[in-house]
Amino acid sequence: MKKIQMVDLKGQYQAIKEQVNTSISNVLETSAFINGPEVHAFQAALEDYLVVKHVIPCANGTDALQIAMMGLGLKSGDEVITADFTFAATVEVIALLQLTPVLVDVEPDTFNIDISAIEKAITSKTKAIVPVHLFGQCADMDAILELAEKHNLYVIEDNAQAIGANHTFKNGKKQKAGTMGHVGSTSFFPSKNLGCYGDGGAIFTNDDGLAHTIRGIVNHGMYERYHHDVVGVNSRLDSIQAVVLRAKLPKLDAYCNARREAARKYSRAFEGQPNIIVPKTVNGCTGICDTCDCHVFHQYTLKITNGKRDALVQYLNENGVPCGVYYPIPLHRQKAYIDDRYNEADFPVTNQLVKEVISLPMHTELDDEQINFITNTIIGFING
Ligand SMILES: *Cc1c(COP(=O)(O)O)cnc(C)c1O
């Protein structure tokens, strides 16, 4: 059996090596390293793929979120509601901009932000909601967009983990993750579903005015050369990353399908196991549905309900099965984000999830032998 990797960047590179190497050589020859034609070509290709009017490439997914918030003109003291159970980048940029992060609990089955908790947290100072499409599946965007409209709030989608995912609205309309709110952001960090070979990110919007504002912000607030109209940042995608992304984008749907296929195999193997809860997919899918295109499984995350999660992590580490705990500490209990406004009683789900979740190896190169080994090892330990 091939050694099992949590994320297999090498295997994926082998499949696109010639194309990527040639394109990178071309960038070196032309020496258009920043904002060259390759960046524009990737931007246009991603706009087509996502069916969104504007993609603005930038340096990473954290910048993308920050710039989206700057573009919306959010001001110090404005409250921004986001999920307690996510990667810290989401809350970090809210705090950095001196906005007030308001963390709320998530749903126990999808791990995504809890709509009733958002509703409870809305005050006269609330200006935006940041749903994180965690682990590759969209938050309940029907309800979030409805709440936002009712309370006149912006919706900023943190789509770092769900590029390529679809959301089917209640009326049957389908839209790509990241394009449903006022603005969306993503990350092209190497281990993300569409990853480059360094750092990269992008902002998406259908709003022409906001897109214009953001294009200036990513470039030192310049709309005309050496005229700085607003305070901006320096956040660019370089051409070498753009050619990698352009080689991978046409394969993104196939990558997503390979992940779904691995997820289906995992979920089938764990069927009927009393102490193992497999991830739930929305839109009526069961997670082993063969036509599902909603979830792109950035992570395949189980809940271990018999208190053996930590022991399982150790056992897997000792037996050649990499795994991860995303996330081990709720954000409201992280030193940087502790706030008197939070009550432990408001976070029953996150507080439980941090004790139960475990993410399994997930990438495009997993084979049946590896999946069988992983699932048998887990089932053997949990029942042992
Ligand atoms: C990865 C990630 C980010 C940050 O992206 P970077 O490119 O690493 O800055 C933001 N939010 C979430 C949910 C992420 O998973």
Side-chain angles (χ1 to χ4, degrees), residues 60-63 65 86-87 89-90 132 134 158 160-161 187-189 192 199-200 298 327:
N60 58 67
T62 308
D63 274 9
L65 270 172
T86 173
F87 181 56
T90 323
V132 181
L134 202 73
D158 180 346
Q161 300 189 2
S187 163
F188 303 124
F189 184 76
K192 301 284 156 105
D199 273 310
H298 175 61
Y327 297 91

Side-chain angles (χ1 to χ4, degrees), residues 43-115:
Q43 170 195 323
L46 190 56
E47 284 166 353
D48 282 350
Y49 174 83
L50 292 173
V51 196
V52 71
K53 275 173 92 176
H54 306 280
V55 166
I56 301 115
C58 65
N60 58 67
T62 308
D63 274 9
L65 270 172
Q66 177 180 330
I67 294 159
M69 290 176 200
M70 291 169 76
L72 291 171
L74 300 182
K75 297 270 173 339
S76 169
D78 288 350
E79 293 179 1
V80 179
I81 297 173
T82 194
D84 189 35
F85 190 64
T86 173
F87 181 56
T90 323
V91 65
E92 178 178 64
V93 298
I94 299 172
L96 264 178
L97 292 173
Q98 303 199 324
L99 312 173
T100 305
V102 178
L103 298 167
V104 302
D105 211 3
V106 296
E107 300 275 3
D109 49 0
T110 63
F111 314 115
N112 272 324
I113 196 162
D114 180 329
I115 304 303

Side-chain angles (χ1 to χ4, degrees), residues 113-141:
I113 196 162
D114 180 329
I115 304 303
S116 61
I118 299 178
E119 207 161 9
K120 260 181 71 186
I122 293 174
T123 72
S124 58
K125 291 184 182 165
T126 308
K127 288 287 151 44
I129 305 170
V130 185
V132 181
H133 301 320
L134 202 73
F135 301 154
Q137 168 166 259
C138 289
D140 182 352
M141 290 304 288

Side-chain angles (χ1 to χ4, degrees), residues 161-221:
Q161 300 189 2
I163 195 154
N166 293 284
H167 178 75
T168 307
F169 286 93
K170 285 197 197 90
N171 65 10
K173 195 179 145 206
K174 222 178 236 200
Q175 236 172 305
K176 288 280 183 205
T179 68
M180 295 172 275
H182 298 90
V183 60
S185 65
T186 202
S187 163
F188 303 124
F189 184 76
S191 66
K192 301 284 156 105
N193 288 30
L194 179 63
C196 57
Y197 295 163
D199 273 310
I203 303 143
F204 320 133
T205 184
N206 283 306
D207 180 329
D208 297 338
L210 180 60
H212 174 76
T213 303
I214 287 174
R215 284 204 184 91
I217 291 173
V218 298
N219 190 24
H220 303 290

